[in-house]
Amino acid sequence: GGSADGGGVTALLSELAVTGSTIARNNSTRRGGGVAFLVDNQSELTVGNSILAENTDGGEAPDLYAGGQSQLVSIEASLIGDNRGTFLDEAQVPDAIGNLVGDVSGQGLLSPQLQPLFYTGRTYVHVLDTTSPAVDAGRNGLIGVAPNDQRGAPFFRIAGPRVDMGAYENQVLINTSLIVTTDQDEVNFQNASVSLREAIMRANGTP
């Protein structure tokens, strides 16, 4: 964050697609504590299966500054904690296109119930509480070909009936063994053996 537009992401006169992402707890003293979309009347912003929440800015558009032109913005199956600056109506339960949207002037901001940043050994993630409204609230058709969540293998992108919003997928691994059974330096979560590297990846990726 800082003094510029977009504490987390800034799109300046360019297309921006945000899919399966968590953009949270960033700050800008101007517009768009999470995302600032600064348009040129032709660029488009697409947000799907994502969480934009708990960001702060100067007060105009804490989570998303949508650029002032709603026809260029498409948001689907996403959780927007504060709708200021977005054109979105409040939706404390999923609306017709699956969005969850908070409104400080309505029933209140919407919390995704994120835990503090957790380091998995490969990346930092915001773990979702099991009671988060983002759990099983995304749309499976929006995820493309990504087989894993932000942590990578062995953590699946879809673990329940529906994908979770955001970069993290709530799940319990079927094979959680940390007992090394092979001296091969392999990463293959489809076989029965457990390498040292696989055991470390399992341990680091599980909060």
Side-chain angles (χ1 to χ4, degrees):
S3 59
D5 292 309
V9 179
T10 301
L12 177 60
L13 308 182
S14 63
E15 306 288 333
L16 176 62
V18 179
T19 304
S21 300
T22 300
I23 302 174
R25 299 174 184 170
N26 302 284
N27 175 67
S28 169
T29 58
R30 296 188 65 185
R31 301 169 297 182
V35 175
F37 180 60
L38 310 176
V39 300
D40 61 355
N41 297 325
Q42 296 181 1
S43 301
E44 295 182 353
L45 168 66
T46 303
V47 180
N49 283 354
S50 293
I51 295 172
L52 281 65
E54 299 180 357
N55 300 286
T56 56
D57 75 344
E60 182 177 344
D63 292 320
L64 171 63
Y65 175 68
Q69 299 192 54
S70 60
Q71 74 275 14
L72 302 177
V73 178
S74 173
I75 303 174
E76 182 178 356
S78 294
L79 188 153
I80 311 298
D82 188 329
N83 66 352
R84 285 178 289 173
T86 69
F87 306 105
L88 296 174
D89 293 328
E90 181 177 23
Q92 297 288 334
V93 296
D95 64 15
I97 52 176
N99 290 321
L100 292 162
V101 185
D103 185 342
V104 69
S105 300
Q107 296 183 51
L109 303 181
L110 191 59
S111 172
Q113 299 179 29
L114 300 174
Q115 296 181 18
L117 276 176
F118 169 74
Y119 184 57
T120 69
R122 288 180 288 179
T123 184
Y124 287 92
V125 298
H126 279 296
V127 174
L128 292 172
D129 285 342
T130 57
T131 56
S132 168
V135 172
D136 291 336
R139 292 190 169 178
N140 296 350
L142 298 179
I143 67 171
V145 297
N148 306 108
D149 72 4
Q150 182 182 338
R151 294 168 291 178
F155 300 97
F156 297 110
R157 179 63 275 198
I158 303 177
R162 294 173 60 181
V163 65
D164 296 346
M165 294 174 176
Y168 178 89
E169 181 76 10
N170 255 344
Q171 59 196 279
V172 177
L173 294 179
I174 296 174
N175 183 359
T176 58
S177 175
L178 302 180
I179 299 174
V180 176
T181 61
T182 178
D183 60 1
Q184 298 298 309
D185 185 14
E186 65 178 16
V187 178
N188 180 0
F189 296 102
Q190 305 305 314
N191 61 23
S193 62
V194 179
S195 69
L196 177 60
R197 189 178 300 276
E198 290 170 337
I200 292 172
M201 291 170 71
R202 285 173 175 149
N204 285 341
T206 305

